[in-house]
Amino acid sequence: VQIRNPYLLFIGDASDQLAAKTADGVAQWRRDWCAGQLRLPGCKADLGLPDKTLEQAAAEGVKTLIIGVANRGGKFSPNWVETLVKALELGMDIASGLHNKVQDIPEVAEKARQLGRQIHDVRHPTQAFEIANGVRRPGRRLLTVGTDCSVGKMFTALALEKEMRGRGMNADFRATGQTGILIAGSGVSVDAVVSDFVAGAVEWLCPANTPDHWDIVEGQASVLHPSYGGVTLALCHGSQPDAMVCVHEPTRPHMRGLPGRPVPGIRDTIAAHEAAARVTNPDTKGVIGLAINTHAMPEAEALAYIRRMEDEHGLPACDPLRTGCANIIDRLNTLF
Amino acid sequence: VQIRNPYLLFIGDASDQLAAKTADGVAQWRRDWCAGQLRLPGCKADLGLPDKTLEQAAAEGVKTLIIGVANRGGKFSPNWVETLVKALELGMDIASGLHNKVQDIPEVAEKARQLGRQIHDVRHPTQAFEIANGVRRPGRRLLTVGTDCSVGKMFTALALEKEMRGRGMNADFRATGQTGILIAGSGVSVDAVVSDFVAGAVEWLCPANTPDHWDIVEGQASVLHPSYGGVTLALCHGSQPDAMVCVHEPTRPHMRGLPGRPVPGIRDTIAAHEAAARVTNPDTKGVIGLAINTHAMPEAEALAYIRRMEDEHGLPACDPLRTGCANIIDRLNTLF
């Protein structure tokens, strides 16, 4: 199911910029698809897009209202409901990255049904997946992996796709989380899939393709993460990665959400994910580059750290945001 | 939620003994709980229990009707529905290991609601689990792992529990699949849990306990299985096993359901599961014994194979069915 664009990005009464980070990601990576932003009174976030009313957006041909904001306490406020119903009446579909389902708001669900509009609750997969078969399939796949959750695997995958497309390569970002799905217009929230079917969902997400085609698969968590490792292993098995890029955030005091548990080292992380990838792709080149998330470091320190990682691991390293990832795609092109 | 015993085992019109294998497992491992079997005309299976009518069972104090048979084509035949409704009327709960939910049969669900009876669709977890935290907890845990699906991990776990209890040790089997849940009276079908929560469900299943207590956790699949590896990894992380027993079936031509994919070797299987277990239990003793499922081998060949495995791997080996597993518990007691 493809979410239709152009989008109007709804950020409601976001309390700060962080509350609108899903919409921020869409605006950053798919600006061409974004006709504008819709903010309610009291909104403290700004996506840097023109403010548009629903009527203006509809007149310009917007196809989908994207809910790109975390709602407070998981509740939909009544003024949101009014906005969503009006969007449907003006011809738009609705796509949401929220935990709470838009489909569970009776007025909105009923209106969508009456008018034949789509509601995409992208965190909640609705299709049935097959059990994975582990059979090799044509086409190339790159998976972003990492030393922890929320280190920048989606960002890195999107930066790699952009660099590859800029060079005329045939590459598609494949989304496995809610923000990625809104950016790609499709995908699967793998952490919400019943565990038996996760590897099968990933096989579906990055299917057989032409030999020159690359799927750049958004990674999740880490096989060394005690809460979510199973999700990551299924991603490794299902995507059969020919190559991986390992993402690391050097300043984190412990694994996210797990005080007292140190972040595993890059070397152990590489070894664990390469072992996982070999189960379904014995020919994998493994980790071919490092993406270092240096947002918390000053420039000089960041660049020195990246150089040191290159030396320590014998791999091209970058910060996709600060330095770009051309050196990783250079390496990819020497290997494949 | 505990399924109340005694049980009456319903095997309907099972087409052969294999169709009744869930009930067979319950009758084998919890005979004390089983008041009898209930068979419909045309049933080709026999559990070796006395045939009882619903009325007889009710008079003897049976608390739960266990549906321990695979239904044909996933359909409930009308004569099943009549039986289930009558069981409820006679005061019994219903527990089912079927894919199709008993709760989805309107007449049965409505009757249960009216009468205040429980329906346990054990393949379909209904409780909400927390995200795993990976924090070490007191008590000991042993996890059965294996080279493939359906090699005998549940059987081995139950045999280990029996051996330990026979020695006066404090041990509880913890069920992770539908047959195991009917045998234990409780548990979680981990492969039906949303992937994000599997490790958390396992932490819930084998919680903190006294230092001398052993949870014997039923394993599923293998971390090297391309379809279900993520489920297994979450089991390893969530159970923090102090010890593991590796189960192997030596005559299988390929992994179950995956023609062309050889069964991984015992050595690779041990290494992969020990690496997984160390993530949440750095002090794990790893695999401390081998359980060889030799049902397809003649006696002399089976015993020779078991001896050879002992020599090759430097671990006590057994076939829990053919030789018992005393040597593995001997080893356990020297290590802990």
Side-chain angles (χ1 to χ4, degrees):
Chain A
V1 183
Q2 190 72 22
I3 303 168
R4 300 182 307 151
N5 62 67
Y7 294 165
L8 178 66
L9 301 181
F10 176 61
I11 53 174
D13 47 359
S15 54
D16 57 17
Q17 196 67 21
L18 195 63
K21 82 175 177 160
T22 294
D24 248 346
V26 179
Q28 175 177 5
W29 290 103
R30 294 295 182 262
R31 183 154 296 242
D32 290 354
W33 294 0
C34 298
Q37 63 183 346
L38 175 61
R39 301 189 286 176
L40 296 179
C43 182
K44 304 275 196 314
D46 185 349
L47 306 174
L49 293 167
D51 284 293
K52 297 218 167 123
T53 63
L54 286 168
E55 290 80 358
Q56 287 170 324
E60 292 177 26
V62 161
K63 298 275 201 306
T64 304
L65 182 74
I66 303 284
I67 305 180
V69 60
N71 52 343
R72 300 178 200 178
K75 299 253 194 265
F76 296 99
S77 48
N79 55 350
W80 278 38
V81 175
E82 191 185 312
T83 301
L84 302 183
V85 168
K86 194 164 165 195
L88 295 169
E89 288 171 344
L90 287 165
M92 297 177 208
D93 294 336
I94 294 172
S96 164
L98 297 173
H99 266 298
N100 313 58
K101 292 187 195 180
V102 173
Q103 197 72 62
D104 288 344
I105 313 175
E107 308 91 296
V108 181
E110 176 56 23
K111 181 63 76 177
R113 203 192 53 71
Q114 282 169 12
L115 300 173
R117 311 274 184 259
Q118 297 293 312
I119 294 178
H120 306 280
D121 282 306
V122 302
R123 270 187 207 252
H124 301 275
T126 49
Q127 70 256 65
F129 298 104
E130 304 284 323
I131 297 288
N133 62 31
V135 175
R136 289 290 298 278
R137 50 195 191 276
R140 299 287 190 189
R141 279 156 214 97
L142 183 148
L143 174 68
T144 54
V145 300
T147 54
D148 196 3
C149 297
S150 307
V151 286
K153 296 179 205 82
M154 181 191 81
F155 191 102
T156 298
L158 285 160
L160 292 167
E161 182 205 44
K162 189 176 179 189
E163 175 70 23
M164 293 169 87
R165 288 185 169 189
R167 298 186 188 200
M169 296 172 70
N170 190 1
D172 285 303
F173 170 74
R174 299 298 185 189
T176 62
Q178 73 277 4
T179 302
I181 294 171
L182 296 174
I183 292 171
S186 64
V188 185
S189 263
V190 289
D191 61 7
V193 172
V194 166
S195 63
D196 237 8
F197 298 96
V198 179
V202 177
E203 290 187 349
W204 171 86
L205 179 69
C206 48
N209 214 314
T210 54
D212 69 323
H213 180 273
W214 281 93
D215 276 327
I216 311 299
V217 182
E218 177 190 4
Q220 297 290 339
S222 160
V223 295
L224 299 177
H225 196 292
S227 312
Y228 312 112
V231 179
T232 315
L233 187 65
L235 257 171
C236 291
H237 288 172
S239 64
Q240 316 184 343
D242 299 285
M244 293 179 281
V245 170
C246 181
V247 189
H248 179 61
E249 203 285 81
T251 69
R252 202 167 277 197
H254 57 74
M255 287 189 106
R256 190 173 159 85
L258 301 172
R261 177 173 284 270
V263 177
I266 290 176
R267 204 169 302 278
D268 289 345
T269 301
I270 291 175
H273 290 87
E274 290 187 344
R278 277 193 297 269
V279 168
T280 50
N281 187 348
D283 303 322
T284 184
K285 305 286 186 194
V287 170
I288 63 153
L290 304 176
I292 312 295
N293 177 343
T294 64
H295 79 282
M297 300 166 111
E299 179 88 358
E301 190 187 330
L303 297 177
Y305 186 90
I306 290 169
R307 273 193 304 275
R308 196 163 81 244
M309 290 302 105
E310 292 210 320
D311 293 344
E312 268 184 29
H313 299 283
L315 292 168
C318 70
D319 179 332
L321 182 62
R322 209 188 274 268
T323 70
C325 55
N327 57 344
I328 294 180
I329 301 306
D330 291 345
R331 172 67 63 95
L332 185 83
N333 283 331
T334 67
L335 290 169
F336 294 93
Chain B
V1 184
Q2 190 72 23
I3 302 168
R4 300 182 307 152
N5 62 67
Y7 293 166
L8 176 66
L9 301 181
F10 176 60
I11 53 173
D13 47 358
S15 53
D16 57 19
Q17 196 67 21
L18 194 64
K21 82 177 174 157
T22 294
D24 248 345
V26 179
Q28 176 178 4
W29 291 103
R30 293 295 182 263
R31 182 153 298 240
D32 290 354
W33 293 0
C34 298
Q37 63 183 344
L38 175 61
R39 301 189 287 176
L40 297 179
C43 182
K44 304 276 197 313
D46 186 349
L47 305 174
L49 293 168
D51 285 293
K52 297 218 168 121
T53 63
L54 287 168
E55 289 81 358
Q56 287 170 325
E60 293 176 25
V62 161
K63 296 277 200 306
T64 304
L65 182 74
I66 303 285
I67 305 181
V69 60
N71 53 342
R72 301 180 199 176
K75 300 253 193 264
F76 296 100
S77 48
N79 54 351
W80 278 38
V81 175
E82 192 185 313
T83 301
L84 302 184
V85 168
K86 195 166 167 195
L88 295 169
E89 287 171 344
L90 287 165
M92 296 176 207
D93 294 337
I94 294 172
S96 163
L98 297 173
H99 266 298
N100 313 59
K101 292 187 195 179
V102 172
Q103 197 71 61
D104 288 344
I105 313 175
E107 307 92 296
V108 181
E110 176 57 21
K111 181 63 76 178
R113 202 191 54 71
Q114 281 170 13
L115 299 174
R117 312 274 184 261
Q118 297 294 311
I119 294 177
H120 306 281
D121 283 307
V122 302
R123 270 186 206 252
H124 301 275
T126 50
Q127 69 257 65
F129 298 105
E130 305 284 322
I131 297 287
N133 63 30
V135 175
R136 288 293 295 281
R137 52 195 190 275
R140 299 287 190 188
R141 281 155 213 97
L142 183 149
L143 174 68
T144 54
V145 300
T147 54
D148 196 3
C149 296
S150 306
V151 286
K153 295 179 206 83
M154 182 192 81
F155 191 101
T156 298
L158 286 160
L160 293 166
E161 182 205 43
K162 189 175 180 189
E163 176 70 23
M164 293 168 88
R165 289 186 168 189
R167 298 184 187 202
M169 295 172 71
N170 191 0
D172 285 304
F173 170 74
R174 300 298 186 190
T176 63
Q178 73 277 4
T179 301
I181 295 171
L182 296 174
I183 292 171
S186 64
V188 186
S189 263
V190 290
D191 61 6
V193 172
V194 166
S195 63
D196 238 8
F197 298 96
V198 179
V202 178
E203 291 187 348
W204 171 88
L205 179 68
C206 47
N209 214 314
T210 53
D212 69 322
H213 180 273
W214 281 93
D215 276 327
I216 311 299
V217 183
E218 177 191 4
Q220 297 290 339
S222 161
V223 294
L224 299 176
H225 196 292
S227 312
Y228 312 112
V231 179
T232 315
L233 187 65
L235 257 172
C236 291
H237 288 174
S239 63
Q240 318 184 343
D242 299 284
M244 293 180 281
V245 170
C246 180
V247 189
H248 178 61
E249 203 284 79
T251 69
R252 203 167 277 196
H254 57 74
M255 287 189 107
R256 189 172 160 86
L258 301 172
R261 176 174 285 268
V263 177
I266 290 176
R267 204 169 301 279
D268 289 346
T269 300
I270 290 174
H273 290 87
E274 290 187 345
R278 277 193 296 270
V279 168
T280 50
N281 187 348
D283 304 321
T284 182
K285 305 287 186 193
V287 171
I288 63 153
L290 304 175
I292 312 295
N293 177 343
T294 64
H295 78 282
M297 301 166 109
E299 179 88 358
E301 190 187 330
L303 298 178
Y305 186 90
I306 290 169
R307 274 194 302 275
R308 197 164 81 244
M309 289 303 103
E310 292 209 321
D311 294 343
E312 267 182 32
H313 299 284
L315 292 169
C318 70
D319 179 330
L321 182 61
R322 209 188 274 268
T323 69
C325 54
N327 57 343
I328 294 180
I329 301 305
D330 291 344
R331 173 67 63 97
L332 185 83
N333 284 332
T334 66
L335 290 169
F336 294 92

